[in-house]
Amino acid sequence: MAVNVNQVLDRADFVWCNGDMFQTQYLRLVDDNAQADDVLIEAASESGELFFTKVEIEQAEDMGDGSIRLKNGALVRFLTSAVVH
C-alpha cells in the first residue's frame, strides 16, 4: 500500500521511531518542485536527530495502523501533539 506523503506530514508534530520519540524541527510539504532527495522532516530529541527524505517516505510500506515501515526496516509513526500524553 502506497504512503500518502502529505497525509504523513500533516500529523508529524512528533516522530516515534523504533521506540524513541523525537520532536519535529522542520517540515516541508511535497509540491511539484520536490526532488527525491529533499529532506521533508527533521526531528530531534535529547538522544539525537533524524531526518527523512521524500524518497524514503514514498518507498515506505504503510502498515495500516498509522505507522510506516521504511525500506531499512525501521518502524516509524508520525504523531500530532493531541495524541502525545
Side-chain angles (χ1 to χ4, degrees):
M1 181 179 294
V3 174
N4 182 319
V5 176
N6 281 336
Q7 279 185 342
V8 165
L9 297 177
D10 191 42
R11 61 179 188 256
D13 295 330
F14 296 89
V15 180
W16 179 91
C17 183
N18 287 337
D20 295 320
M21 186 68 73
F22 298 83
Q23 185 168 9
T24 302
Q25 304 294 309
Y26 170 81
L27 280 176
R28 177 184 174 195
L29 293 176
V30 175
D31 58 23
D32 293 337
N33 298 320
Q35 302 295 313
D37 62 348
D38 286 349
V39 173
L40 301 183
I41 300 171
E42 290 181 13
S45 72
E46 291 179 7
S47 62
E49 297 179 335
L50 56 85
F51 65 92
F52 300 101
T53 63
K54 179 178 180 270
V55 72
E56 286 176 312
I57 296 173
E58 286 178 334
Q59 292 178 350
E61 177 185 359
D62 187 340
M63 303 303 289
D65 62 356
S67 60
I68 63 173
R69 184 164 309 277
L70 300 177
K71 281 187 98 174
N72 69 7
L75 187 61
V76 179
R77 180 169 280 177
F78 299 97
L79 306 166
T80 64
S81 57
V83 299
V84 175
H85 302 282

